[in-house]
Amino acid sequence: MPQIAQMSETFASQLFWLLLVFGILFFVIGKGMVPKVMDTVGLRDKQIADDLAAAQAARDAADAEEEAWRTRENANRASAQALVGEAKAKAQASTEARLAEVQVGIDARMAQAEARIAASRDAAAGEIEAVAADAAKDIVSRLAGVNVDQTAALGAVKKAMAHG
Amino acid sequence: MAADTAKVDPMHQFAIEPIFGSDWAIAGHNIAFTNSALWMLIAGICLWIFMIGGMKREVVPGRWQMAVETMTGFIDDLLEANMGKEGRKYVPYVFTLFMFILFANLLGLIPLPLAMAGVHAFTFTSHFTVTGVLAIMTFAIVLTVGFWKHGLHFFSLFVPHGTPTLMIPLIFVIELISFLFRPFSLGLRLFVAMMSGHVLLEVLSSFVIDAANAGPAYGVLIGGPSFILMIAICALELLVAGIQAYVFALLTSLYINDAEHLH
């Protein structure tokens, strides 16, 4: 086993070269290069974290903006709806008032017309009675040769008309 | 046949050979530039080239930069999970340790093409002189951090909460011994895992060669299955290479966490 057989003669050489090489590596690579590499990684991580934070902030701002817009929009919509409702109610009220007014006019005219109709009917009925009485008196005097006076004839006509 | 079997010595791959500078010395100790040192250097250079890909520092990373960032992130997460926020200051050390061991393990597995060119990959993590030094480094950091932060109070690490007073001396000794064993288990685990895998591959390859030399029938009957098994074990070794590097880094972070937070 050379490790043991050669130990005493090679130990100094092994120790010397190992310490020399490892020492140089430690200072050049361990102390010189590794921190720079780790700095690069740290810098990148930091940049990524910053970018992510910025993106998050932008997103939050956008969310807040949207929320504000939504509230504003809702308020606008509500006020618009209130306006529409008000206009509708006003229109309804004025329509109703106008309708009532017109209705009153119509009612009055209808009542007048009805009164006129009733008067005409009464007049017509009176005329019919008079004509009927004349006719009855005429018929009676021709058939029976009896002269009936006007009053009696009218009374008989009224009686007959009342019976239908 | 004897010459053939001698050629396939499973342990030969772990032999350290000086490449140049055999007479270099510090305070009487030889510090020749060996094949082991060469592969440490290669692992280091590969790691450095790998890391250069991560230095583009683009906000939108390419594949290579992504790979580098994944590795640093992996170690960062590991330390964060085991140690919390304090873990971050140990990232340079644990990252260097993890990547160095990982590259060493993986480079040690480089198979045929390089070997045919006469370059034999050397797995220096299969030497406990190397893994032991790495483990001792970790342990030294644990001790330094522990005594620096907590002073002598660090010894309370060896007395878990709710230990009955009577048991404290016994538990203290047991915990102390288990604590002192940590660098050994840490270093030996990596060394054993890497060495056993390479020995296994080498033994199987010697089966293939010996069986083929013994005759075509042996070659097909023994060499064939051995070869298929070798390929499967190569895949397993890639997994082991990653897992052992991870385990080393994980245990390092756990031990440092003990020093940082006691219990």
Side-chain angles (χ1 to χ4, degrees), chain A residues 1-4 6-7 10-19 21-22 25-26 29-30 33-34 36-41 44 47, chain B residues 11 15-16 29-33 36-37 40 47 55 57-59 69 91-93 95-96 100 126 128-130 133 137 191 195:
Chain A
M1 205 164 151
Q3 285 95 331
I4 294 169
Q6 292 184 307
M7 191 168 138
T10 59
F11 181 73
S13 159
Q14 293 275 64
L15 179 65
F16 173 77
W17 289 106
L18 177 64
L19 290 184
V21 173
F22 191 82
L25 285 183
F26 176 69
I29 289 173
M33 292 164 124
V34 171
K36 284 185 189 147
V37 172
M38 284 172 65
D39 276 359
T40 312
V41 176
R44 182 184 312 129
Q47 188 169 353
Chain B
M11 301 314 276
I16 295 173
H29 298 289
N30 181 282
I31 53 154
F33 188 81
S36 174
M40 289 176 198
L47 178 53
M55 301 308 287
R57 317 199 66 179
E58 283 165 8
V59 176
E69 283 170 4
V91 167
Y93 173 70
F95 181 80
T96 313
F100 187 52
S126 65
F128 60 77
T129 41
V130 172
V133 169
M137 269 192 321
F191 147 68
M195 191 188 75

Short mmCIF file of all heavy atoms in Angstrom, two decimals, chain A residues 1-4 6-7 10-19 21-22 25-26 29-30 33-34 36-41 44 47, chain B residues 11 15-16 29-33 36-37 40 47 55 57-59 69 91-93 95-96 100 126 128-130 133 137 191 195:
data_model
loop_
_atom_site.label_atom_id
_atom_site.label_comp_id
_atom_site.label_asym_id
_atom_site.label_seq_id
_atom_site.Cartn_x
_atom_site.Cartn_y
_atom_site.Cartn_z
N MET A 1 0.85 -1.20 0.00
CA MET A 1 0.00 0.00 0.00
C MET A 1 0.88 1.24 0.00
O MET A 1 1.47 1.59 1.02
CB MET A 1 -0.88 -0.04 1.26
CG MET A 1 -2.15 0.72 1.12
SD MET A 1 -3.27 0.22 2.44
CE MET A 1 -4.20 1.72 2.61
N PRO A 2 0.97 1.88 -1.16
CA PRO A 2 1.90 3.03 -1.25
C PRO A 2 1.54 4.14 -0.25
O PRO A 2 2.44 4.86 0.19
CB PRO A 2 1.71 3.53 -2.69
CG PRO A 2 1.05 2.41 -3.40
CD PRO A 2 0.27 1.66 -2.40
N GLN A 3 0.26 4.22 0.08
CA GLN A 3 -0.13 5.29 1.00
C GLN A 3 0.65 5.21 2.31
O GLN A 3 0.97 6.21 2.91
CB GLN A 3 -1.64 5.21 1.32
CG GLN A 3 -2.53 5.68 0.19
CD GLN A 3 -3.00 4.54 -0.68
OE1 GLN A 3 -2.31 3.53 -0.81
NE2 GLN A 3 -4.16 4.71 -1.29
N ILE A 4 0.91 3.95 2.75
CA ILE A 4 1.63 3.76 4.00
C ILE A 4 3.14 3.61 3.72
O ILE A 4 3.96 4.23 4.39
CB ILE A 4 1.10 2.53 4.76
CG1 ILE A 4 -0.34 2.80 5.19
CG2 ILE A 4 1.97 2.22 5.96
CD1 ILE A 4 -1.05 1.59 5.72
N GLN A 6 4.97 4.76 1.37
CA GLN A 6 5.67 5.98 0.95
C GLN A 6 5.40 7.16 1.88
O GLN A 6 5.76 8.28 1.56
CB GLN A 6 5.21 6.38 -0.45
CG GLN A 6 5.64 5.44 -1.55
CD GLN A 6 5.23 5.98 -2.90
OE1 GLN A 6 4.07 6.30 -3.10
NE2 GLN A 6 6.17 6.08 -3.81
N MET A 7 4.72 6.88 2.98
CA MET A 7 4.23 8.00 3.78
C MET A 7 5.33 8.93 4.26
O MET A 7 5.27 10.14 4.06
CB MET A 7 3.45 7.47 4.98
CG MET A 7 2.69 8.55 5.69
SD MET A 7 1.55 7.83 6.83
CE MET A 7 1.78 8.91 8.19
N THR A 10 7.00 10.92 1.37
CA THR A 10 6.21 11.84 0.55
C THR A 10 5.36 12.81 1.36
O THR A 10 4.75 13.71 0.80
CB THR A 10 5.25 11.08 -0.37
OG1 THR A 10 4.40 10.28 0.44
CG2 THR A 10 6.01 10.22 -1.36
N PHE A 11 5.32 12.59 2.67
CA PHE A 11 4.38 13.40 3.45
C PHE A 11 4.64 14.90 3.30
O PHE A 11 3.73 15.69 3.08
CB PHE A 11 4.40 13.00 4.92
CG PHE A 11 3.43 13.79 5.73
CD1 PHE A 11 2.07 13.54 5.63
CD2 PHE A 11 3.86 14.80 6.58
CE1 PHE A 11 1.16 14.28 6.35
CE2 PHE A 11 2.95 15.55 7.31
CZ PHE A 11 1.60 15.28 7.18
N ALA A 12 5.90 15.28 3.39
CA ALA A 12 6.24 16.71 3.32
C ALA A 12 5.81 17.29 1.97
O ALA A 12 5.22 18.37 1.90
CB ALA A 12 7.74 16.90 3.53
N SER A 13 6.10 16.53 0.92
CA SER A 13 5.72 16.99 -0.42
C SER A 13 4.22 17.12 -0.54
O SER A 13 3.71 18.14 -1.03
CB SER A 13 6.28 16.00 -1.45
OG SER A 13 5.57 16.10 -2.65
N GLN A 14 3.48 16.09 -0.09
CA GLN A 14 2.02 16.13 -0.17
C GLN A 14 1.47 17.34 0.58
O GLN A 14 0.64 18.08 0.07
CB GLN A 14 1.43 14.85 0.46
CG GLN A 14 1.72 13.58 -0.27
CD GLN A 14 0.72 13.34 -1.39
OE1 GLN A 14 0.66 14.11 -2.33
NE2 GLN A 14 -0.04 12.28 -1.27
N LEU A 15 1.96 17.49 1.81
CA LEU A 15 1.48 18.59 2.66
C LEU A 15 1.76 19.92 1.99
O LEU A 15 0.88 20.78 1.88
CB LEU A 15 2.17 18.51 4.03
CG LEU A 15 1.81 19.60 5.03
CD1 LEU A 15 0.34 19.48 5.40
CD2 LEU A 15 2.67 19.50 6.27
N PHE A 16 3.00 20.08 1.51
CA PHE A 16 3.40 21.35 0.92
C PHE A 16 2.53 21.69 -0.29
O PHE A 16 1.95 22.78 -0.37
CB PHE A 16 4.87 21.28 0.50
CG PHE A 16 5.33 22.49 -0.26
CD1 PHE A 16 5.62 23.68 0.40
CD2 PHE A 16 5.45 22.46 -1.64
CE1 PHE A 16 6.02 24.80 -0.29
CE2 PHE A 16 5.85 23.58 -2.35
CZ PHE A 16 6.14 24.75 -1.67
N TRP A 17 2.43 20.75 -1.22
CA TRP A 17 1.69 21.06 -2.45
C TRP A 17 0.19 21.19 -2.19
O TRP A 17 -0.47 22.02 -2.81
CB TRP A 17 1.96 20.00 -3.52
CG TRP A 17 3.36 20.11 -4.04
CD1 TRP A 17 4.41 19.29 -3.77
CD2 TRP A 17 3.86 21.15 -4.89
NE1 TRP A 17 5.55 19.73 -4.40
CE2 TRP A 17 5.24 20.87 -5.09
CE3 TRP A 17 3.32 22.27 -5.48
CZ2 TRP A 17 6.06 21.68 -5.88
CZ3 TRP A 17 4.13 23.07 -6.28
CH2 TRP A 17 5.48 22.78 -6.46
N LEU A 18 -0.32 20.36 -1.27
CA LEU A 18 -1.75 20.49 -0.96
C LEU A 18 -2.04 21.86 -0.37
O LEU A 18 -2.97 22.55 -0.80
CB LEU A 18 -2.18 19.39 0.03
CG LEU A 18 -3.65 19.49 0.46
CD1 LEU A 18 -4.56 19.28 -0.74
CD2 LEU A 18 -3.97 18.47 1.54
N LEU A 19 -1.24 22.25 0.62
CA LEU A 19 -1.49 23.55 1.26
C LEU A 19 -1.30 24.68 0.26
O LEU A 19 -2.09 25.64 0.24
CB LEU A 19 -0.55 23.75 2.46
CG LEU A 19 -0.86 22.86 3.66
CD1 LEU A 19 0.06 23.21 4.82
CD2 LEU A 19 -2.31 23.02 4.10
N VAL A 21 -1.63 24.56 -3.15
CA VAL A 21 -2.73 24.58 -4.13
C VAL A 21 -4.03 24.97 -3.45
O VAL A 21 -4.76 25.85 -3.93
CB VAL A 21 -2.87 23.19 -4.82
CG1 VAL A 21 -4.10 23.16 -5.69
CG2 VAL A 21 -1.63 22.89 -5.64
N PHE A 22 -4.32 24.36 -2.31
CA PHE A 22 -5.58 24.66 -1.65
C PHE A 22 -5.61 26.10 -1.17
O PHE A 22 -6.65 26.77 -1.25
CB PHE A 22 -5.80 23.71 -0.46
CG PHE A 22 -7.20 23.79 0.08
CD1 PHE A 22 -8.23 23.09 -0.53
CD2 PHE A 22 -7.49 24.59 1.17
CE1 PHE A 22 -9.52 23.18 -0.05
CE2 PHE A 22 -8.78 24.68 1.65
CZ PHE A 22 -9.79 23.98 1.04
N LEU A 25 -6.26 28.25 -4.15
CA LEU A 25 -7.66 28.08 -4.54
C LEU A 25 -8.58 28.82 -3.57
O LEU A 25 -9.53 29.49 -3.97
CB LEU A 25 -8.04 26.60 -4.56
CG LEU A 25 -7.52 25.77 -5.72
CD1 LEU A 25 -8.04 24.35 -5.61
CD2 LEU A 25 -7.95 26.37 -7.04
N PHE A 26 -8.25 28.68 -2.26
CA PHE A 26 -9.11 29.33 -1.26
C PHE A 26 -9.15 30.84 -1.47
O PHE A 26 -10.22 31.45 -1.47
CB PHE A 26 -8.61 29.00 0.15
CG PHE A 26 -9.38 29.71 1.22
CD1 PHE A 26 -10.69 29.37 1.48
CD2 PHE A 26 -8.80 30.72 1.97
CE1 PHE A 26 -11.42 30.02 2.46
CE2 PHE A 26 -9.51 31.37 2.96
CZ PHE A 26 -10.83 31.02 3.20
N ILE A 29 -10.30 31.52 -5.58
CA ILE A 29 -11.67 31.11 -5.91
C ILE A 29 -12.63 31.37 -4.75
O ILE A 29 -13.64 32.05 -4.90
CB ILE A 29 -11.68 29.62 -6.32
CG1 ILE A 29 -11.02 29.49 -7.68
CG2 ILE A 29 -13.11 29.07 -6.35
CD1 ILE A 29 -10.81 28.10 -8.14
N GLY A 30 -12.26 30.83 -3.56
CA GLY A 30 -13.17 30.97 -2.42
C GLY A 30 -13.40 32.42 -2.05
O GLY A 30 -14.54 32.86 -1.88
N MET A 33 -13.65 34.68 -6.22
CA MET A 33 -14.68 34.47 -7.23
C MET A 33 -16.05 34.14 -6.64
O MET A 33 -17.07 34.63 -7.13
CB MET A 33 -14.23 33.36 -8.17
CG MET A 33 -13.04 33.75 -9.03
SD MET A 33 -12.27 32.30 -9.76
CE MET A 33 -12.33 32.71 -11.48
N VAL A 34 -16.06 33.30 -5.60
CA VAL A 34 -17.35 32.86 -5.05
C VAL A 34 -18.22 34.04 -4.60
O VAL A 34 -19.40 34.10 -4.94
CB VAL A 34 -17.13 31.84 -3.91
CG1 VAL A 34 -18.42 31.55 -3.18
CG2 VAL A 34 -16.56 30.55 -4.46
N LYS A 36 -18.30 37.01 -5.70
CA LYS A 36 -18.82 37.73 -6.86
C LYS A 36 -19.97 36.96 -7.49
O LYS A 36 -20.99 37.56 -7.86
CB LYS A 36 -17.70 37.94 -7.89
CG LYS A 36 -16.76 39.05 -7.46
CD LYS A 36 -15.72 39.33 -8.53
CE LYS A 36 -14.66 40.29 -7.98
NZ LYS A 36 -13.35 40.03 -8.55
N VAL A 37 -19.78 35.65 -7.60
CA VAL A 37 -20.86 34.83 -8.17
C VAL A 37 -22.11 34.95 -7.30
O VAL A 37 -23.22 35.14 -7.79
CB VAL A 37 -20.41 33.35 -8.27
CG1 VAL A 37 -21.58 32.47 -8.68
CG2 VAL A 37 -19.29 33.21 -9.28
N MET A 38 -21.89 34.89 -5.97
CA MET A 38 -23.05 34.96 -5.08
C MET A 38 -23.69 36.34 -5.11
O MET A 38 -24.91 36.47 -4.96
CB MET A 38 -22.64 34.56 -3.67
CG MET A 38 -22.47 33.06 -3.57
SD MET A 38 -21.77 32.52 -2.03
CE MET A 38 -23.07 32.98 -0.91
N ASP A 39 -22.84 37.36 -5.30
CA ASP A 39 -23.38 38.72 -5.45
C ASP A 39 -24.29 38.80 -6.67
O ASP A 39 -25.36 39.40 -6.62
CB ASP A 39 -22.24 39.73 -5.62
CG ASP A 39 -21.70 40.17 -4.28
OD1 ASP A 39 -22.24 39.68 -3.28
OD2 ASP A 39 -20.75 40.97 -4.25
N THR A 40 -23.80 38.19 -7.77
CA THR A 40 -24.59 38.20 -8.99
C THR A 40 -25.95 37.55 -8.74
O THR A 40 -26.98 38.09 -9.13
CB THR A 40 -23.85 37.44 -10.11
OG1 THR A 40 -22.51 37.89 -10.15
CG2 THR A 40 -24.51 37.65 -11.44
N VAL A 41 -25.89 36.40 -8.06
CA VAL A 41 -27.15 35.70 -7.77
C VAL A 41 -28.03 36.56 -6.89
O VAL A 41 -29.24 36.72 -7.14
CB VAL A 41 -26.86 34.34 -7.09
CG1 VAL A 41 -28.16 33.66 -6.70
CG2 VAL A 41 -26.05 33.45 -8.02
N ARG A 44 -29.52 39.38 -8.82
CA ARG A 44 -30.61 38.92 -9.68
C ARG A 44 -31.86 38.65 -8.85
O ARG A 44 -32.96 39.07 -9.20
CB ARG A 44 -30.18 37.67 -10.42
CG ARG A 44 -31.25 37.17 -11.37
CD ARG A 44 -30.88 35.87 -12.03
NE ARG A 44 -29.54 35.92 -12.57
CZ ARG A 44 -28.61 35.02 -12.32
NH1 ARG A 44 -28.88 34.00 -11.55
NH2 ARG A 44 -27.42 35.14 -12.84
N GLN A 47 -33.38 41.85 -7.92
CA GLN A 47 -34.07 42.48 -9.05
C GLN A 47 -35.40 41.81 -9.32
O GLN A 47 -36.42 42.48 -9.54
CB GLN A 47 -33.18 42.40 -10.29
CG GLN A 47 -33.74 43.21 -11.44
CD GLN A 47 -32.73 43.35 -12.56
OE1 GLN A 47 -31.58 42.94 -12.41
NE2 GLN A 47 -33.15 43.89 -13.66
N MET B 11 -2.36 -1.81 -6.50
CA MET B 11 -1.93 -0.71 -5.63
C MET B 11 -0.94 0.23 -6.32
O MET B 11 -0.65 1.30 -5.82
CB MET B 11 -1.28 -1.27 -4.35
CG MET B 11 -2.18 -2.16 -3.55
SD MET B 11 -3.83 -1.48 -3.34
CE MET B 11 -3.53 -0.43 -1.95
N ALA B 15 0.91 4.81 -6.23
CA ALA B 15 2.31 5.15 -5.96
C ALA B 15 2.59 6.60 -6.36
O ALA B 15 2.13 7.07 -7.40
CB ALA B 15 3.23 4.21 -6.73
N ILE B 16 3.31 7.26 -5.49
CA ILE B 16 3.67 8.65 -5.77
C ILE B 16 5.06 8.67 -6.39
O ILE B 16 6.00 8.08 -5.86
CB ILE B 16 3.66 9.48 -4.48
CG1 ILE B 16 2.24 9.53 -3.92
CG2 ILE B 16 4.18 10.88 -4.73
CD1 ILE B 16 2.13 10.18 -2.58
N HIS B 29 12.98 18.67 4.64
CA HIS B 29 11.91 17.80 4.13
C HIS B 29 11.81 17.96 2.63
O HIS B 29 11.76 19.06 2.10
CB HIS B 29 10.57 18.18 4.77
CG HIS B 29 10.57 18.00 6.25
ND1 HIS B 29 10.57 16.75 6.84
CD2 HIS B 29 10.58 18.89 7.27
CE1 HIS B 29 10.58 16.89 8.14
NE2 HIS B 29 10.59 18.19 8.44
N ASN B 30 11.74 16.81 1.96
CA ASN B 30 11.68 16.81 0.51
C ASN B 30 10.30 17.26 0.03
O ASN B 30 9.27 16.78 0.49
CB ASN B 30 11.96 15.39 0.00
CG ASN B 30 11.92 15.33 -1.51
OD1 ASN B 30 10.86 15.32 -2.09
ND2 ASN B 30 13.09 15.31 -2.12
N ILE B 31 10.29 18.22 -0.90
CA ILE B 31 9.00 18.68 -1.43
C ILE B 31 8.99 18.57 -2.95
O ILE B 31 8.56 19.48 -3.66
CB ILE B 31 8.69 20.13 -1.01
CG1 ILE B 31 9.84 21.06 -1.38
CG2 ILE B 31 8.38 20.21 0.46
CD1 ILE B 31 9.39 22.48 -1.57
N ALA B 32 9.44 17.42 -3.45
CA ALA B 32 9.47 17.22 -4.90
C ALA B 32 8.09 17.39 -5.50
O ALA B 32 7.08 17.10 -4.85
CB ALA B 32 9.98 15.81 -5.20
N PHE B 33 8.06 17.89 -6.74
CA PHE B 33 6.79 18.01 -7.46
C PHE B 33 6.43 16.63 -8.00
O PHE B 33 7.05 16.15 -8.94
CB PHE B 33 6.92 19.03 -8.60
CG PHE B 33 5.62 19.35 -9.25
CD1 PHE B 33 4.74 20.27 -8.68
CD2 PHE B 33 5.25 18.74 -10.44
CE1 PHE B 33 3.54 20.56 -9.28
CE2 PHE B 33 4.04 19.03 -11.05
CZ PHE B 33 3.19 19.95 -10.47
N SER B 36 1.18 13.37 -7.70
CA SER B 36 0.10 13.81 -6.82
C SER B 36 -0.05 15.33 -6.87
O SER B 36 -1.15 15.86 -7.05
CB SER B 36 0.39 13.35 -5.39
OG SER B 36 -0.56 13.86 -4.51
N ALA B 37 1.08 16.02 -6.76
CA ALA B 37 1.04 17.48 -6.81
C ALA B 37 0.53 17.95 -8.16
O ALA B 37 -0.24 18.93 -8.25
CB ALA B 37 2.43 18.04 -6.54
N MET B 40 -3.17 17.70 -8.20
CA MET B 40 -3.75 18.78 -7.37
C MET B 40 -3.82 20.05 -8.21
O MET B 40 -4.83 20.76 -8.24
CB MET B 40 -2.88 19.05 -6.14
CG MET B 40 -2.93 17.98 -5.09
SD MET B 40 -1.79 18.40 -3.77
CE MET B 40 -1.60 16.84 -2.97
N LEU B 47 -10.83 23.67 -11.80
CA LEU B 47 -11.79 24.39 -10.98
C LEU B 47 -11.80 25.88 -11.31
O LEU B 47 -12.85 26.51 -11.42
CB LEU B 47 -11.45 24.17 -9.49
CG LEU B 47 -12.32 24.90 -8.46
CD1 LEU B 47 -13.78 24.61 -8.70
CD2 LEU B 47 -11.93 24.46 -7.07
N MET B 55 -18.04 34.09 -13.99
CA MET B 55 -17.66 35.49 -13.75
C MET B 55 -18.25 36.45 -14.78
O MET B 55 -17.92 37.63 -14.77
CB MET B 55 -16.13 35.63 -13.74
CG MET B 55 -15.45 34.77 -12.70
SD MET B 55 -16.14 34.99 -11.06
CE MET B 55 -15.47 36.60 -10.70
N ARG B 57 -21.24 37.36 -14.92
CA ARG B 57 -22.12 38.19 -14.10
C ARG B 57 -23.28 38.78 -14.88
O ARG B 57 -23.64 39.94 -14.71
CB ARG B 57 -21.32 39.32 -13.44
CG ARG B 57 -19.99 38.85 -12.89
CD ARG B 57 -19.45 39.79 -11.88
NE ARG B 57 -20.29 39.84 -10.69
CZ ARG B 57 -20.02 40.59 -9.65
NH1 ARG B 57 -18.96 41.35 -9.65
NH2 ARG B 57 -20.80 40.59 -8.62
N GLU B 58 -23.83 37.97 -15.78
CA GLU B 58 -24.98 38.46 -16.53
C GLU B 58 -26.24 38.27 -15.71
O GLU B 58 -26.34 37.37 -14.89
CB GLU B 58 -25.11 37.66 -17.84
CG GLU B 58 -24.10 38.12 -18.88
CD GLU B 58 -23.98 37.11 -20.01
OE1 GLU B 58 -24.79 36.16 -20.06
OE2 GLU B 58 -23.07 37.29 -20.83
N VAL B 59 -27.20 39.16 -15.95
CA VAL B 59 -28.46 39.05 -15.21
C VAL B 59 -29.22 37.82 -15.67
O VAL B 59 -29.80 37.09 -14.86
CB VAL B 59 -29.31 40.32 -15.42
CG1 VAL B 59 -30.65 40.16 -14.72
CG2 VAL B 59 -28.58 41.52 -14.86
N GLU B 69 -23.29 29.03 -10.72
CA GLU B 69 -24.18 29.58 -9.69
C GLU B 69 -24.93 28.48 -8.96
O GLU B 69 -25.23 28.60 -7.77
CB GLU B 69 -25.17 30.56 -10.35
CG GLU B 69 -24.51 31.88 -10.66
CD GLU B 69 -25.37 32.77 -11.52
OE1 GLU B 69 -26.51 32.39 -11.81
OE2 GLU B 69 -24.90 33.85 -11.91
N VAL B 91 -18.88 29.97 3.45
CA VAL B 91 -19.08 29.52 2.07
C VAL B 91 -17.76 29.44 1.30
O VAL B 91 -17.51 28.42 0.65
CB VAL B 91 -20.09 30.42 1.34
CG1 VAL B 91 -20.07 30.15 -0.16
CG2 VAL B 91 -21.49 30.18 1.87
N PRO B 92 -16.87 30.44 1.36
CA PRO B 92 -15.62 30.32 0.60
C PRO B 92 -14.84 29.05 0.94
O PRO B 92 -14.42 28.32 0.05
CB PRO B 92 -14.83 31.56 1.01
CG PRO B 92 -15.88 32.54 1.37
CD PRO B 92 -17.00 31.76 1.99
N TYR B 93 -14.71 28.77 2.23
CA TYR B 93 -13.93 27.59 2.62
C TYR B 93 -14.62 26.31 2.19
O TYR B 93 -14.03 25.46 1.53
CB TYR B 93 -13.70 27.58 4.14
CG TYR B 93 -13.05 26.31 4.61
CD1 TYR B 93 -11.72 26.04 4.29
CD2 TYR B 93 -13.74 25.35 5.33
CE1 TYR B 93 -11.12 24.86 4.68
CE2 TYR B 93 -13.15 24.17 5.73
CZ TYR B 93 -11.83 23.93 5.40
OH TYR B 93 -11.25 22.76 5.78
N PHE B 95 -16.95 25.81 0.02
CA PHE B 95 -17.06 25.70 -1.44
C PHE B 95 -15.74 25.23 -2.05
O PHE B 95 -15.71 24.31 -2.87
CB PHE B 95 -17.47 27.04 -2.05
CG PHE B 95 -17.62 27.00 -3.54
CD1 PHE B 95 -18.77 26.50 -4.11
CD2 PHE B 95 -16.61 27.44 -4.37
CE1 PHE B 95 -18.91 26.44 -5.49
CE2 PHE B 95 -16.74 27.38 -5.74
CZ PHE B 95 -17.90 26.88 -6.30
N THR B 96 -14.64 25.86 -1.63
CA THR B 96 -13.34 25.46 -2.16
C THR B 96 -13.07 24.00 -1.84
O THR B 96 -12.66 23.22 -2.71
CB THR B 96 -12.23 26.33 -1.55
OG1 THR B 96 -12.63 27.70 -1.61
CG2 THR B 96 -10.93 26.17 -2.29
N PHE B 100 -12.89 21.27 -4.75
CA PHE B 100 -11.55 20.70 -4.91
C PHE B 100 -11.62 19.18 -4.80
O PHE B 100 -11.08 18.46 -5.65
CB PHE B 100 -10.63 21.29 -3.84
CG PHE B 100 -9.19 20.93 -3.98
CD1 PHE B 100 -8.52 21.12 -5.17
CD2 PHE B 100 -8.49 20.41 -2.91
CE1 PHE B 100 -7.18 20.80 -5.30
CE2 PHE B 100 -7.15 20.08 -3.02
CZ PHE B 100 -6.50 20.28 -4.23
N SER B 126 -7.18 9.65 -2.70
CA SER B 126 -7.06 8.28 -2.19
C SER B 126 -5.81 8.15 -1.30
O SER B 126 -5.39 7.05 -1.00
CB SER B 126 -7.00 7.29 -3.35
OG SER B 126 -5.82 7.51 -4.08
N PHE B 128 -4.36 9.16 2.41
CA PHE B 128 -4.83 9.76 3.67
C PHE B 128 -3.92 10.88 4.13
O PHE B 128 -4.30 11.64 5.01
CB PHE B 128 -5.07 8.70 4.76
CG PHE B 128 -3.86 7.90 5.13
CD1 PHE B 128 -2.89 8.44 5.95
CD2 PHE B 128 -3.74 6.59 4.69
CE1 PHE B 128 -1.79 7.70 6.30
CE2 PHE B 128 -2.63 5.85 5.05
CZ PHE B 128 -1.65 6.40 5.85
N THR B 129 -2.75 10.99 3.53
CA THR B 129 -1.95 12.18 3.87
C THR B 129 -2.69 13.44 3.39
O THR B 129 -2.66 14.47 4.04
CB THR B 129 -0.57 12.12 3.19
OG1 THR B 129 -0.73 11.62 1.87
CG2 THR B 129 0.37 11.24 3.95
N VAL B 130 -3.39 13.32 2.24
CA VAL B 130 -4.12 14.47 1.71
C VAL B 130 -5.45 14.65 2.44
O VAL B 130 -5.75 15.73 2.94
CB VAL B 130 -4.35 14.29 0.19
CG1 VAL B 130 -5.27 15.37 -0.33
CG2 VAL B 130 -3.04 14.31 -0.53
N VAL B 133 -4.98 15.87 5.92
CA VAL B 133 -4.66 17.30 6.05
C VAL B 133 -5.94 18.13 5.87
O VAL B 133 -6.18 19.08 6.63
CB VAL B 133 -3.59 17.71 5.01
CG1 VAL B 133 -3.46 19.22 4.96
CG2 VAL B 133 -2.26 17.08 5.38
N MET B 137 -7.54 20.50 8.64
CA MET B 137 -7.86 21.91 8.40
C MET B 137 -9.26 22.24 8.90
O MET B 137 -9.48 23.24 9.60
CB MET B 137 -7.78 22.21 6.89
CG MET B 137 -6.42 22.67 6.48
SD MET B 137 -6.32 23.34 4.83
CE MET B 137 -7.34 22.35 3.85
N PHE B 191 -10.78 8.86 2.00
CA PHE B 191 -9.64 8.07 1.54
C PHE B 191 -10.06 6.64 1.21
O PHE B 191 -9.76 6.11 0.14
CB PHE B 191 -8.54 8.12 2.62
CG PHE B 191 -7.70 6.89 2.75
CD1 PHE B 191 -6.82 6.53 1.74
CD2 PHE B 191 -7.78 6.09 3.88
CE1 PHE B 191 -6.04 5.39 1.87
CE2 PHE B 191 -7.01 4.97 4.01
CZ PHE B 191 -6.14 4.60 3.01
N MET B 195 -10.14 4.95 -2.46
CA MET B 195 -9.18 3.90 -2.72
C MET B 195 -9.88 2.59 -3.08
O MET B 195 -9.52 1.93 -4.04
CB MET B 195 -8.28 3.67 -1.50
CG MET B 195 -7.11 2.77 -1.83
SD MET B 195 -6.18 2.29 -0.39
CE MET B 195 -7.25 1.09 0.34
#
